[in-house]
Amino acid sequence: MAHWLASGRRGQIEGVISRFDPVYWTVNFPRPMMASVVTIAPDALRVDAVFYRQDDLAGLIWEAEDRHDHPLLRYDTDRDFRGCRLRFRWRSAGVLALDQVSGPVLTIEGRDAAGNPRAWYVRLWNYASGTPEDALVSIDFASVQGGYLLPGEADPVFAGDVDRMFVSLVPDGYSGADAALAGPVEAWVELSDIACDGPGSVLAIGDVVVPEHGLQIANGYDDCYHLTPARVLRNALQLGYRGSILHYVGMSHYFRLEPNSGGYYVGLAGGTLNVACAAWHADFAVRAKALGYDVIWSLSYELLDRHCWNDWKQRAADGSPGLTGWSPPSALLSPAHAGAMQYLRVVALAFVGIAQGAGLAVKFQIGEPWWWVMPDGRLCIHDAAAKAELDDPPEQNVRGAVDTAVLDAAGALLAASTLALRDVVRWAPGAEVLLLAYLPTVLDRAMPELKRANLPLGWAAPAFDVLQLEDYDWAAAGNASASAKGVALAEARLGYPAAAQHYLAGFVLNTADKAQWRPIAAAAARGRARGVAATFIWALPQVLRDGFVHFEQEDEVDAFDDVLFPLALGREAEVAPEVSTAIVTSAGGRENRNAEWAEARLRYDVGPGVRSESDIAALLGFFRARMGPARGFRLRDPFDHHGEGEVLGTGDGVEARFQLVRRYGDVVRRITRPVGGSVRVAVDGLATEAFALAGGVVTLDVPPAAGAVVTASFDFDVPVRFAEDRLNVSRATYLAGAAASVPLVEVRE
């Protein structure tokens, strides 16, 4: 397996699209309202929206620069629209009509002919024919004019340097005031028969198709609600992801809201999902089915805090709510609260219904259900409902001494809530229910008993069809040791074999950390090597942002046999360190010397170790098994095979991986073949066994603190190969007391 971070196309295949193609429009809006855009025909789109406030405004947006697709799949940037003529049919309901004072306006943002930032406001009604709610709109960007009344208020538009343009949509009842509408306004707009002609009407677009590979993709609605489902799925498909899409329905955009005490809170009045979310997911499901995908619908125990009922929230003993570190934060729902858990069950059934309506097999994930832990270790099991169920337990700080009975009871309560959700989903015939556990939190070494509450035995197989494990903190840091130990503990505790597991690798939170894709790709490879049923990259929005491309390639043949040279070296064995130095002598006799190798390369002649006929037989057999120089092997150097207190590096609080090295003054030699069981590691002089060894790399379970010195003592072998294709030895050689010549050369690793 291999990966590439693409920053743009470099000769890869392209296609063309018409400017204003329905697939590539987006929406944007302020909270608490919600809107979505879907394609309803090759030349048509539909916006669904729900408005709650008198100043709510949604924008239907076309951008000159594609900032949303993968770099290999983006359309080209062209800010000059003067060669374009756009026309479409407008139909709407629930929004102010085209002829109204605050009716739909096309806002064009860019720069004027002199390069000064400008915005123009083009009233669509000035370019429409028909009725205010069903009209044909035609705009020639070479001559379009802003202004409310034309020609008296005409404001000529310079469309030669445009960043974006958007159609503003406001609800019936809009006043611009910071006040609630009399009730939620559900609205829709359709643009059909969209056509763009003229010399600037066509854009090149990346049309790369990465071959199908063995990874699957995860996605999150909260990160792609503004895009069309067709656009999201095009990226997934053409980047080679097949099988299932793990789709997190989110915690901030799917719900309906009801006003209460000056705020808006999730509710079920009028239905379960808001109209925008329902329309988007219905389209997403149908398109996924048509492309051959399964969809795993993921629902978590989180809600955006500002819309979550106060009595639904998990709380610490001092009453503080359990809130995530996102901005704005989400609140963790209490597994003990009947209303909160009933709400999740109703939401789950809504998405099950969407899957069934599209003809998809029902696959549903219960995502990361847990009791929240405050940064200082306090467990959030003290909301009113939890206190009633747990007999008002004393405060538990999982970073210190705990009452294990309390944690076991909390775990049983959590498990019961997930099993109740499982059973509701299983009302759907053939439904598969999966559970997702986030290992770095539930198996934190600083909180060893937390697994009682957050990895409860009530989840043990066969409670769920599939156990999904994610460890993106460890994966992104390359902490393979912590990942392996976490997986082993989860398997031992819950009993799901690898074939009944999925693994989620990633993700990269910030684009500045895109170097983390390398260890994430390596973690995905390890997941597949374990034999899990599916391995997912989390998640598509970050894949698109950073240009991550995964592709399969033939695994390199490991031309090394991890075996030791079978003969003891005689006293006459030769060791010859070899360097490569370029020396240039000037006319005046001065020398310029350049060391072309970073360290010496060793050559050996081990012929003097051959002392008997049995030695010759062993040597010949070993040579044949290695196919001469084709395969490397280990050699114990009699003169240099031990390192004592070697400094591997200094901690920074993040890095956990350190290469074994042997130091010779300022020259550093990488040690890649340590002797098993001989490696002893210390951090600031304190011995530790909390590490894993892979090749010559030590991975500590916990990254050492900034400034902490990591040292190691170890025995090691030298990776070598036979230096020649032919081996000359004879009985006469050792009978005469002459040493055969068996040259070996060090292999760089």
Side-chain angles (χ1 to χ4, degrees), residues 170 231 265 303 330 669:
V170 299
R231 190 174 188 174
Y265 297 87
L303 283 176
S330 55
R669 175 186 182 186

PDB file of all heavy atoms in Angstrom, residues 170 231 265 303 330 669:
ATOM      1  N   VAL A 170     -34.704  34.304   1.913  1.00  0.00           N
ATOM      2  CA  VAL A 170     -35.226  34.643   3.233  1.00  0.00           C
ATOM      3  C   VAL A 170     -36.659  34.153   3.333  1.00  0.00           C
ATOM      4  O   VAL A 170     -37.354  33.978   2.322  1.00  0.00           O
ATOM      5  CB  VAL A 170     -35.143  36.161   3.505  1.00  0.00           C
ATOM      6  CG1 VAL A 170     -33.689  36.630   3.460  1.00  0.00           C
ATOM      7  CG2 VAL A 170     -35.990  36.949   2.510  1.00  0.00           C
ATOM      8  N   ARG A 231     -21.860  15.409  -5.215  1.00  0.00           N
ATOM      9  CA  ARG A 231     -20.464  15.881  -5.170  1.00  0.00           C
ATOM     10  C   ARG A 231     -19.661  15.075  -4.163  1.00  0.00           C
ATOM     11  O   ARG A 231     -18.528  14.668  -4.431  1.00  0.00           O
ATOM     12  CB  ARG A 231     -20.452  17.364  -4.814  1.00  0.00           C
ATOM     13  CG  ARG A 231     -19.116  18.064  -4.943  1.00  0.00           C
ATOM     14  CD  ARG A 231     -19.296  19.548  -4.709  1.00  0.00           C
ATOM     15  NE  ARG A 231     -18.111  20.317  -5.004  1.00  0.00           N
ATOM     16  CZ  ARG A 231     -18.063  21.647  -4.981  1.00  0.00           C
ATOM     17  NH1 ARG A 231     -19.166  22.347  -4.684  1.00  0.00           N
ATOM     18  NH2 ARG A 231     -16.940  22.290  -5.257  1.00  0.00           N
ATOM     19  N   TYR A 265     -34.328  24.271  21.176  1.00  0.00           N
ATOM     20  CA  TYR A 265     -33.938  22.965  21.680  1.00  0.00           C
ATOM     21  C   TYR A 265     -34.506  21.868  20.788  1.00  0.00           C
ATOM     22  O   TYR A 265     -35.560  22.039  20.157  1.00  0.00           O
ATOM     23  CB  TYR A 265     -34.408  22.798  23.126  1.00  0.00           C
ATOM     24  CG  TYR A 265     -33.763  23.791  24.053  1.00  0.00           C
ATOM     25  CD1 TYR A 265     -34.322  25.053  24.237  1.00  0.00           C
ATOM     26  CD2 TYR A 265     -32.570  23.491  24.704  1.00  0.00           C
ATOM     27  CE1 TYR A 265     -33.715  25.989  25.064  1.00  0.00           C
ATOM     28  CE2 TYR A 265     -31.950  24.416  25.533  1.00  0.00           C
ATOM     29  CZ  TYR A 265     -32.531  25.663  25.705  1.00  0.00           C
ATOM     30  OH  TYR A 265     -31.909  26.587  26.511  1.00  0.00           O
ATOM     31  N   LEU A 303     -24.978  16.066  21.321  1.00  0.00           N
ATOM     32  CA  LEU A 303     -25.790  17.091  20.687  1.00  0.00           C
ATOM     33  C   LEU A 303     -25.101  18.428  20.882  1.00  0.00           C
ATOM     34  O   LEU A 303     -24.452  18.659  21.919  1.00  0.00           O
ATOM     35  CB  LEU A 303     -27.194  17.160  21.295  1.00  0.00           C
ATOM     36  CG  LEU A 303     -28.208  16.081  20.894  1.00  0.00           C
ATOM     37  CD1 LEU A 303     -29.495  16.269  21.688  1.00  0.00           C
ATOM     38  CD2 LEU A 303     -28.494  16.143  19.403  1.00  0.00           C
ATOM     39  N   SER A 330     -20.148  20.444  22.024  1.00  0.00           N
ATOM     40  CA  SER A 330     -21.293  19.547  22.088  1.00  0.00           C
ATOM     41  C   SER A 330     -21.412  19.015  23.507  1.00  0.00           C
ATOM     42  O   SER A 330     -20.437  18.985  24.261  1.00  0.00           O
ATOM     43  CB  SER A 330     -21.141  18.390  21.096  1.00  0.00           C
ATOM     44  OG  SER A 330     -19.922  17.711  21.299  1.00  0.00           O
ATOM     45  N   ARG A 669      25.335   5.864  14.283  1.00  0.00           N
ATOM     46  CA  ARG A 669      25.055   4.661  13.503  1.00  0.00           C
ATOM     47  C   ARG A 669      23.683   4.126  13.882  1.00  0.00           C
ATOM     48  O   ARG A 669      23.400   3.890  15.059  1.00  0.00           O
ATOM     49  CB  ARG A 669      26.127   3.615  13.783  1.00  0.00           C
ATOM     50  CG  ARG A 669      25.908   2.261  13.125  1.00  0.00           C
ATOM     51  CD  ARG A 669      26.977   1.299  13.609  1.00  0.00           C
ATOM     52  NE  ARG A 669      26.883  -0.026  13.009  1.00  0.00           N
ATOM     53  CZ  ARG A 669      27.643  -1.063  13.380  1.00  0.00           C
ATOM     54  NH1 ARG A 669      28.556  -0.893  14.344  1.00  0.00           N
ATOM     55  NH2 ARG A 669      27.492  -2.235  12.787  1.00  0.00           N
TER      56      ARG A 669
END
